[in-house]
Amino acid sequence: MLVQVPVDSNTSVFNQPFNEPQSCFGFCNDASASNNSGPIHQNRSIQKKDGLTEEERKNKKAMDDLLSEALKKLTFEEREEHQEVLHGVNDLVFEDDTFLNSALQELESHLANTKSGSVYEMAESIDAAYVNDKAFRVMFLRANEYDAKSTADQMFRFFDLKNQLFGTDKLVKDITIEDLYEDDIACLKVGWAQLARRDRSGRQVFLQCGGLLLHASPFTIQNILRVQYYYIMKALQSEETQLRGTVSIWYGIGNLKIKSRTGLVERFTAARSLPQKKAAIHVCCDDAQQFVLSSVMVKVMQANMRARVRLHFGSLTECQYQLSTYGIAPQSLPLDAFGNVNLDRHLRWVHSCVMEETLVEFPISSSHALEPITTPNENDVLFTGGKVGKHIGNQRFKSYILEFSQVYDSGTDEIKRHIVNEISAKIHEGGGRFLRRHGAAWEEVPLDNLRGKIMQAFRKCRRVRKQSCV
């Protein structure tokens, strides 16, 4: 059960439908909590019955007031709309050709009138096809709810950011993992920012644990911003993510607390330049000081976005319960029972990105990927040299080989490489790994051997097909 914190009912931000807690922090109002029957304590570090110090209570109220002000500026209909978005029960916009063409024409008008002297204009002069690509522009329109002016403004910020992070020579190309520096890759593999599983409404959940960076090698803000750019834009390759939006969880519980506000504003400002439709931001922590640090980013948010921020204070279990009321299941987050971040799925995702985007041998981690595995999961593909046909992972792998075999056999080397990478990515995205025997245990097949094994599976399929035709 969550601790109770007194909140002024006149400023409570959740006097709205969906039976939400009456405070931004996930606490319920308790008028009696404000009446202290004991002596008045002058030392603010002394805790009261609710387990909070005066300083912590003050910090929470300041954040609550900040978000309350944003809600006060909304009409009743706007509040209802924000509540529906927060809970993922809002209707998606129907995009027919007439609607999209009208939005694109209006966007073009705004861009033409304001692009003079901008990095956007420079990018257009380098490769107009890239900048004017319909799918590219629609992605930004979706992120800005089809508002042409807001979309144009974000496109200008986007190219400014891209130029700052990657330089002019990469301004009109999709950034791949090959465009990241070695330090960027190391920063990515730390797992401080991960693509968690989708929520109940199909929205992509981002888990951000800034505290993990404290336990890793020191990284520059540029490293962090390039990683942030890469994983968000990678997620936005999915049209479903563009349409349904994203949910961010800022996690600062236990030893994963952030200690400094350094770089927070830069991270949030950079994220605003990327075409993601932000459905909600959830701040989870067990330390009121984390609210103070989070307020640094909240203060630079637009009022419209502040209305979609929710604060959850308590243990991991308490915060997981609060998140579940918004459709985010505990098992969808890469956290163990003690609140530690599990990197397995994240490293498999990095692995699949490498397989998809590069031909260069590139280890996904220094040691983690090749640690002995005692028991494979059902989604793993097992290379044993014997019969494992009944294993679910192997059956799925075989189905992919059969599905792509004819295209593979008749394709060019480039097509074959793409198919091999596609199959590897499908297995990893489904929670599987490619494993081989290692003594009495198992280990992941190294990248330089994996392509050969997948190609060998295609050759075997071709032989079987020829024999069946004889």
Side-chain angles (χ1 to χ4, degrees):
M1 181 176 180
L2 296 179
V3 293
Q4 306 230 335
V5 178
V7 179
D8 184 350
S9 60
N10 293 325
T11 60
S12 175
V13 301
F14 289 137
N15 187 19
Q16 303 175 47
F18 297 101
N19 299 319
E20 295 194 32
Q22 297 297 308
S23 162
C24 285
F25 313 106
F27 306 120
C28 300
N29 285 331
D30 184 358
S32 63
S34 62
N35 298 323
N36 187 2
S37 59
I40 298 177
H41 296 289
Q42 298 297 325
N43 186 348
R44 64 186 182 185
S45 67
I46 297 178
Q47 294 184 345
K48 295 190 177 182
K49 288 191 300 180
D50 56 13
L52 303 171
T53 67
E54 288 292 345
E55 184 68 15
E56 289 174 331
R57 191 176 295 104
K58 178 181 176 181
N59 291 336
K60 289 190 177 73
K61 187 177 186 304
M63 180 69 103
D64 200 30
D65 291 343
L66 183 65
L67 300 180
S68 296
E69 287 300 316
L71 281 175
K72 286 180 180 178
K73 297 177 181 178
L74 301 177
T75 65
F76 176 79
E77 290 76 13
E78 288 172 334
R79 289 191 183 195
E80 289 290 303
E81 181 183 349
H82 279 293
Q83 289 296 317
E84 291 177 356
V85 172
L86 278 163
H87 288 267
V89 296
N90 57 306
D91 295 327
L92 297 180
V93 175
F94 176 69
E95 296 180 342
D96 60 16
D97 290 339
T98 301
F99 174 81
L100 280 181
N101 289 335
S102 175
L104 287 166
Q105 289 174 7
E106 190 176 355
L107 172 60
E108 174 59 32
S109 177
H110 278 282
L111 291 170
N113 292 333
T114 55
K115 67 183 180 181
S116 179
S118 66
V119 178
Y120 170 91
E121 185 180 42
M122 178 172 65
E124 191 176 38
S125 68
I126 298 173
D127 188 349
Y130 179 89
V131 176
N132 298 325
D133 180 72
K134 180 179 178 179
F136 181 69
R137 290 190 169 190
V138 167
M139 176 172 60
F140 282 87
L141 281 168
R142 289 167 175 164
N144 291 276
E145 299 178 352
Y146 309 94
D147 181 272
K149 183 180 184 306
S150 298
T151 301
D153 290 342
Q154 188 180 59
M155 290 187 76
F156 291 141
R157 295 197 307 271
F158 172 82
F159 280 103
D160 287 341
L161 175 68
K162 193 174 184 181
N163 188 47
Q164 171 197 340
L165 296 179
F166 300 101
T168 307
D169 58 326
K170 297 176 182 176
L171 201 55
V172 289
K173 72 178 294 289
D174 293 335
I175 300 300
T176 69
I177 207 162
E178 288 187 299
D179 297 311
L180 301 182
Y181 296 106
E182 185 176 345
D183 287 349
D184 299 336
I185 297 294
C187 184
L188 175 65
K189 291 191 290 185
V190 167
W192 65 271
Q194 297 190 33
L195 276 65
R197 300 186 187 278
R198 295 182 181 274
D199 69 3
R200 182 177 55 203
S201 302
R203 300 176 298 190
Q204 177 62 62
V205 177
F206 296 140
L207 179 68
Q208 298 187 20
C209 306
L212 275 180
L213 292 170
L214 299 175
H215 308 290
S217 301
F219 298 108
T220 67
I221 186 62
Q222 291 293 101
N223 295 140
I224 294 170
L225 293 182
R226 280 192 287 267
V227 167
Q228 179 176 263
Y229 178 101
Y230 176 76
Y231 84 81
I232 291 178
M233 293 305 295
K234 186 71 176 176
L236 290 174
Q237 291 179 4
S238 164
E239 188 172 25
E240 182 180 11
T241 300
Q242 295 177 25
L243 289 168
R244 296 188 178 278
T246 64
V247 175
S248 291
I249 299 175
W250 299 346
Y251 183 81
I253 295 177
N255 62 352
L256 295 177
K257 298 180 179 68
I258 54 176
K259 304 295 184 182
S260 167
R261 64 183 63 188
T262 303
L264 294 181
V265 172
E266 291 85 347
R267 280 167 50 188
F268 181 78
T269 303
R272 283 187 58 222
S273 301
L274 303 178
Q276 55 177 325
K277 183 194 293 186
K278 274 287 186 185
I281 296 176
H282 296 275
V283 180
C284 300
C285 57
D286 58 0
D287 180 350
Q289 182 62 23
Q290 299 297 295
F291 286 160
V292 178
L293 295 173
S294 299
S295 69
V296 173
M297 289 183 282
V298 172
K299 287 177 180 178
V300 299
M301 288 180 184
Q302 295 178 328
N304 189 55
M305 191 63 239
R306 289 182 188 175
R308 297 185 184 179
V309 176
R310 292 296 178 264
L311 310 179
H312 312 292
F313 185 86
S315 66
L316 170 64
T317 301
E318 291 166 335
C319 288
Q320 284 179 329
Y321 172 77
Q322 289 292 323
L323 291 172
S324 69
T325 65
Y326 294 91
I328 304 171
Q331 59 268 27
S332 69
L333 302 178
L335 300 169
D336 65 19
F338 303 100
N340 300 312
V341 178
N342 187 324
L343 293 178
D344 289 345
R345 187 170 182 271
H346 175 68
L347 290 175
R348 288 198 296 271
W349 176 79
V350 175
H351 183 102
S352 68
C353 292
V354 171
M355 291 289 292
E356 178 183 344
E357 298 175 351
T358 181
L359 287 172
V360 180
E361 295 179 15
F362 198 88
I364 66 173
S365 71
S366 58
S367 60
H368 186 93
L370 297 180
E371 289 180 358
I373 298 166
T374 305
T375 305
N377 69 54
E378 63 178 10
N379 296 310
D380 290 332
V381 177
L382 309 180
F383 294 108
T384 65
K387 294 184 177 181
V388 288
K390 294 183 179 180
H391 188 74
I392 292 176
N394 286 69
Q395 290 178 337
R396 185 177 294 122
F397 176 63
K398 182 178 180 180
S399 71
Y400 292 147
I401 296 296
L402 291 173
E403 177 185 352
F404 291 106
S405 60
Q406 291 187 356
V407 178
Y408 179 90
D409 290 343
S410 61
T412 63
D413 289 344
E414 178 66 20
I415 290 175
K416 290 180 178 179
R417 181 185 69 84
H418 178 77
I419 291 175
V420 168
N421 290 345
E422 178 71 13
I423 291 176
S424 173
K426 283 178 175 291
I427 294 296
H428 286 114
E429 288 170 1
R433 298 160 293 185
F434 293 90
L435 304 182
R436 65 184 182 186
R437 277 290 186 186
H438 182 65
W442 299 83
E443 67 177 5
E444 287 200 53
V445 177
L447 179 61
D448 53 350
N449 294 336
L450 180 54
R451 289 193 186 92
K453 287 187 174 295
I454 297 177
M455 293 167 69
Q456 182 181 11
F458 275 114
R459 290 194 295 269
K460 180 178 179 181
C461 179
R462 184 167 60 248
R463 288 196 303 269
V464 172
R465 194 168 62 244
K466 287 182 178 179
Q467 290 173 0
S468 65
C469 295
V470 175

